[in-house]
Amino acid sequence: MKNKQIFLRMVLLHWCLLWLLFPLSSRTQKLPTRDEELFQMQIRDKAFFHDSSVIPDGAEISSYLFRDTPKRYFFVVEEDNTPLSVTVTPCDAPLEWKLSLQELPEDTSGEGSGDLEPLEQQKQQIINEEGTELFSYKGNDVEYFISSSSPSGLYQLDLLSTEKDTHFKVYATTTPESDQPYPELPYDPRVDVTSLGRTTVTLAWKPSPTASLLKQPIQYCVVINKEHNFKSLCAVEAKLSADDAFMMAPKPGLDFSPFDFAHFGFPSDNSGKERSFQAKPSPKLGRHVYSRPKVDIQKICIGNKNIFTVSDLKPDTQYYFDVFVVNVNSNMSTAYVGTFARTKEEAKQKTVELKDGKVTDVFVKRKGAKFLRFAPVSSHQKVTFFIHSCLDAVQIQVRRDGKLLLSQNVEGIQQFQLRGKPKAKYLIRLKGNKKGASMLKILATTRPTKQSFPSLPEDTRIKAFDKLRTCSSATVAWLGTQERNKFCIYKKEVDDNYNEDQKRREQNQCLGPDIRKKSEKVLCKYFHSQNLQKAVTTETIKGLQPGKSYLLDVYVIGHGGHSVKYQSKVVKTRKFC
């Protein structure tokens, strides 16, 4: 008799749920159960859950709430003393949700005959009963209800969003111990900042026990943004969803299933590995959408490493960092306790004071910048800037009392003459290039006739005459200018495998002959020509060894003692003569 009552009660329970869901479907549906073979069959038939408010046992569902429009789900527990776990994950907005146990009508008549009550009476009894509230929550945390021993019955989940339209996820199971779908957190679930720079932050966290103890495949995803920490990966993905498009509210009275939203432009949660029940998007159904501004947020999945350096950040900016551990098989995730940090400020640039008529050496880091200030002590009509870029080109900007007067790239030696102004102050900004560090010399003066820089021809190459090569000598030529200058030539024996990279390292034009060995000096001489076409000099370097390579350098030295090196040249003597 007792077994018969239990059987009748379960038949009644299933019938009641089907009757409650009848308006949502035009055909009768079987209820999802925990029988694994039947469960697998049901999830393969996605139409089974279409237009259904039944939460399947042991699978996470995704759905959508319209603002101020409640939604209700049902979950069946078939036997008494069954473990029960229900997890609700809000995405993008706080939720209000409540779990209740629906009181069912008695399964026997007053006479104890075992006959069911009349159907109309049972229907009315279910409608009139609100059920017993088991748990309620309001907020945007991932919250759960768990019971080690729950009575059989019809469980009812009511959800509401009062803030805005939003996504959410629900997971319910009667086998929480064996399922363990969400990755576990370590005993200390905090994310720590271990290193802080101007553009980088290094994060570290303790590994999840899911990988080490349960041997389940996991990966970590790091999320960076400037607004706030996130409670779930679901909330992150809502921000990153395609075009961040949200549909306008439908006409009042229309009801939508939790799987209908693929029709309206919402991204599917399908990963190919998880249990998913969303229908394929239908292009036939169109709705008005509006786009929100893009959110400055970055999500990076890094495998199973538990340390990560975030780069390319902005100096003196506060960032929020979250770490999520994701079960690779189920695609379900758990959030660590996020953190935040402010990157360090840019190092304040020290402004170098330029003295009138004095050469100043400047070093600029790769892609770096240097600031210089020139404040003439006397009234002046003109200011002349001499710039000698020793290696690669640099960019120069000159401002007078805040007004930009000059901005251009400089290679080699160049001079700029600007109109003066009484009591004016000049700010010079030098910016390095992407190739490497820059070295340069700069001179600012209000008396340009007393210049320290020698004048240079447009072409500073050294030409070697191949036909004039011998086993012990080499003949070279270089251009001069109309101004009389002193030229010194130096030689240095190098290996036969001397290449362009080595040559480039010695191309610093600002390094003078004073750093060279006396044995390397060939000679010094003066020359010039009023006719630039004739401002050419040649020199034969003797005393060389047969079949050897030599690096030749020519220095031009100005009246103030400042020297500039021509482009180096490698020559090789003949091996046999």
Side-chain angles (χ1 to χ4, degrees):
M1 184 66 181
K2 183 177 180 181
N3 290 338
K4 180 182 178 183
Q5 290 177 354
I6 294 174
F7 172 76
L8 292 174
R9 181 176 176 82
M10 291 313 304
V11 171
L12 175 63
L13 179 63
H14 282 204
W15 179 87
C16 293
L17 184 54
L18 284 173
W19 180 83
L20 287 169
L21 299 177
F22 180 77
L24 299 176
S25 176
S26 60
R27 60 177 178 160
T28 305
Q29 298 174 333
K30 293 183 179 180
L31 293 174
T33 71
R34 194 53 182 171
D35 180 273
E36 191 61 28
E37 184 177 352
L38 181 57
F39 179 83
Q40 293 297 334
M41 181 192 72
Q42 291 167 348
I43 66 171
R44 282 194 296 269
D45 182 12
K46 296 183 181 181
F48 174 82
F49 289 113
H50 187 69
D51 287 336
S52 172
S53 290
V54 178
I55 303 174
D57 192 335
E60 187 180 63
I61 66 169
S62 299
S63 190
Y64 196 80
L65 272 177
F66 294 103
R67 183 171 63 89
D68 294 331
T69 304
K71 183 169 281 191
R72 176 171 291 177
Y73 290 91
F74 297 96
F75 184 76
V76 175
V77 174
E78 298 179 352
E79 298 179 6
D80 288 332
N81 303 316
T82 299
L84 174 62
S85 176
V86 178
T87 303
V88 177
T89 302
C91 306
D92 196 39
L95 294 181
E96 297 179 25
W97 63 274
K98 178 180 68 172
L99 183 69
S100 349
L101 174 59
Q102 184 69 55
E103 293 293 338
L104 295 174
E106 293 297 328
D107 54 314
T108 57
S109 65
E111 288 77 21
S113 64
D115 296 331
L116 294 174
E117 297 283 352
L119 290 180
E120 291 303 320
Q121 184 177 341
Q122 294 168 3
K123 291 179 183 179
Q124 192 61 43
Q125 191 169 348
I126 293 173
I127 293 172
N128 291 339
E129 292 290 343
E130 286 295 325
T132 304
E133 182 176 316
L134 303 176
F135 183 81
S136 64
Y137 173 75
K138 181 178 181 180
N140 59 359
D141 282 334
V142 179
E143 193 55 78
Y144 58 89
F145 165 83
I146 188 164
S147 172
S148 59
S149 178
S150 297
S152 62
L154 185 63
Y155 288 77
Q156 178 177 300
L157 178 65
D158 294 286
L159 303 105
L160 177 68
S161 173
T162 58
E163 188 173 299
K164 59 180 178 180
D165 300 349
T166 185
H167 297 82
F168 67 92
K169 293 186 178 184
V170 176
Y171 179 84
T173 179
T174 54
T175 54
E177 289 299 321
S178 59
D179 283 2
Q180 295 185 328
Y182 295 98
E184 289 188 44
L185 293 178
Y187 69 92
D188 181 2
R190 293 173 299 178
V191 177
D192 296 316
V193 175
T194 60
S195 177
L196 188 64
R198 290 191 296 272
T199 59
T200 60
V201 172
T202 300
L203 307 170
W205 56 93
K206 292 179 174 59
S208 166
T210 296
S212 57
L213 299 180
L214 302 180
K215 306 300 182 183
Q216 294 184 11
I218 58 103
Q219 71 169 342
Y220 298 102
C221 293
V222 180
V223 174
I224 309 106
N225 80 107
K226 298 179 185 177
E227 293 184 359
H228 55 75
N229 288 110
F230 286 91
K231 303 291 182 67
S232 67
L233 197 54
C234 168
V236 174
E237 289 164 350
K239 293 286 187 183
L240 292 172
S241 59
D243 296 328
D244 209 15
F246 281 73
M247 52 196 271
M248 300 297 287
K251 294 179 180 180
L254 291 182
D255 193 11
F256 293 89
S257 85
F259 313 107
D260 271 343
F261 293 98
H263 292 308
F264 297 95
F266 291 99
S268 169
D269 287 335
N270 280 343
S271 67
K273 296 182 180 180
E274 65 176 316
R275 296 169 176 174
S276 175
F277 311 102
Q278 289 200 353
K280 293 182 180 179
S282 170
K284 297 179 181 179
L285 296 176
R287 301 191 68 83
H288 298 292
V289 299
Y290 66 92
S291 293
R292 300 190 300 184
K294 284 288 184 182
V295 179
D296 188 6
I297 179 174
Q298 189 178 12
K299 172 189 168 188
I300 309 167
C301 293
I302 61 171
N304 57 8
K305 297 183 298 181
N306 64 318
I307 185 169
F308 182 68
T309 297
V310 186
S311 56
D312 297 325
L313 302 176
K314 293 182 179 179
D316 194 25
T317 304
Q318 181 156 302
Y319 289 90
Y320 294 85
F321 304 97
D322 291 291
V323 173
F324 300 91
V325 53
V326 183
N327 185 318
V328 175
N329 288 337
S330 67
N331 208 33
M332 297 167 79
S333 60
T334 307
Y336 277 71
V337 178
T339 187
F340 60 89
R342 179 174 288 274
T343 50
K344 291 184 178 180
E345 295 182 11
E346 281 276 21
K348 292 185 177 179
Q349 293 285 350
K350 182 181 179 182
T351 302
V352 178
E353 293 288 342
L354 297 178
K355 292 185 178 180
D356 198 334
K358 184 178 179 181
V359 176
T360 301
D361 296 315
V362 181
F363 175 80
V364 184
K365 293 181 180 179
R366 175 178 173 268
K367 296 195 293 185
K370 278 288 176 70
F371 291 89
L372 305 96
R373 183 174 175 269
F374 180 53
V377 293
S378 58
S379 59
H380 56 285
Q381 293 183 336
K382 293 180 180 179
V383 170
T384 304
F385 292 96
F386 294 90
I387 310 292
H388 182 188
S389 179
C390 308
L391 293 170
D392 295 310
V394 294
Q395 184 191 61
I396 180 174
Q397 288 185 344
V398 180
R399 296 179 184 271
R400 184 186 63 202
D401 298 333
K403 182 180 179 181
L404 183 65
L405 302 180
L406 172 70
S407 179
Q408 74 175 72
N409 290 336
V410 174
E411 266 187 296
I413 291 181
Q414 291 189 33
Q415 72 177 57
F416 308 98
Q417 196 170 70
L418 305 175
R419 181 175 295 178
K421 189 177 180 181
K423 298 181 180 180
K425 292 180 177 60
Y426 300 85
L427 182 67
I428 303 98
R429 180 179 184 264
L430 300 170
K431 186 177 180 181
N433 59 43
K434 297 179 181 179
K435 294 181 181 179
S438 300
M439 296 179 66
L440 58 137
K441 292 180 179 287
I442 183 169
L443 180 146
T445 180
T446 56
R447 301 184 297 275
T449 53
K450 294 178 63 178
Q451 64 167 293
S452 300
F453 286 77
S455 57
L456 287 176
E458 290 185 2
D459 190 345
T460 59
R461 292 177 297 172
I462 300 172
K463 178 176 174 57
F465 297 97
D466 185 63
K467 292 183 178 181
L468 299 179
R469 277 189 310 135
T470 70
C471 292
S472 61
S473 68
T475 301
V476 295
W478 65 90
L479 298 177
T481 62
Q482 293 176 330
E483 182 184 347
R484 187 171 183 267
N485 284 317
K486 179 182 179 181
F487 295 86
C488 295
I489 187 167
Y490 285 74
K491 73 177 190 312
K492 181 174 71 172
E493 185 178 332
V494 294
D495 296 333
D496 288 340
N497 59 358
Y498 186 84
N499 54 38
E500 287 300 318
D501 287 339
Q502 291 173 293
K503 184 177 175 182
R504 186 182 183 279
R505 285 197 292 269
E506 299 192 33
Q507 281 303 304
N508 186 344
Q509 291 185 332
C510 295
L511 297 178
D514 52 312
I515 67 167
R516 303 296 294 263
K517 296 177 181 179
K518 289 184 179 180
S519 60
E520 295 177 357
K521 183 177 180 181
V522 177
L523 59 85
C524 291
K525 68 177 183 179
Y526 289 88
F527 88 92
H528 73 289
S529 176
Q530 293 299 319
N531 185 350
L532 288 177
Q533 292 182 344
K534 295 182 179 181
V536 181
T537 186
T538 60
E539 195 63 45
T540 299
I541 299 138
K542 300 178 181 179
L544 307 179
Q545 299 296 318
K548 299 291 184 180
S549 297
Y550 291 88
L551 179 71
L552 304 181
D553 286 309
V554 171
Y555 298 88
V556 55
I557 303 169
H559 300 304
H562 180 68
S563 63
V564 179
K565 186 171 73 169
Y566 277 46
Q567 296 179 38
S568 300
K569 180 69 176 179
V570 176
V571 296
K572 187 174 183 179
T573 56
R574 296 188 185 278
K575 196 170 186 178
F576 303 102
C577 295

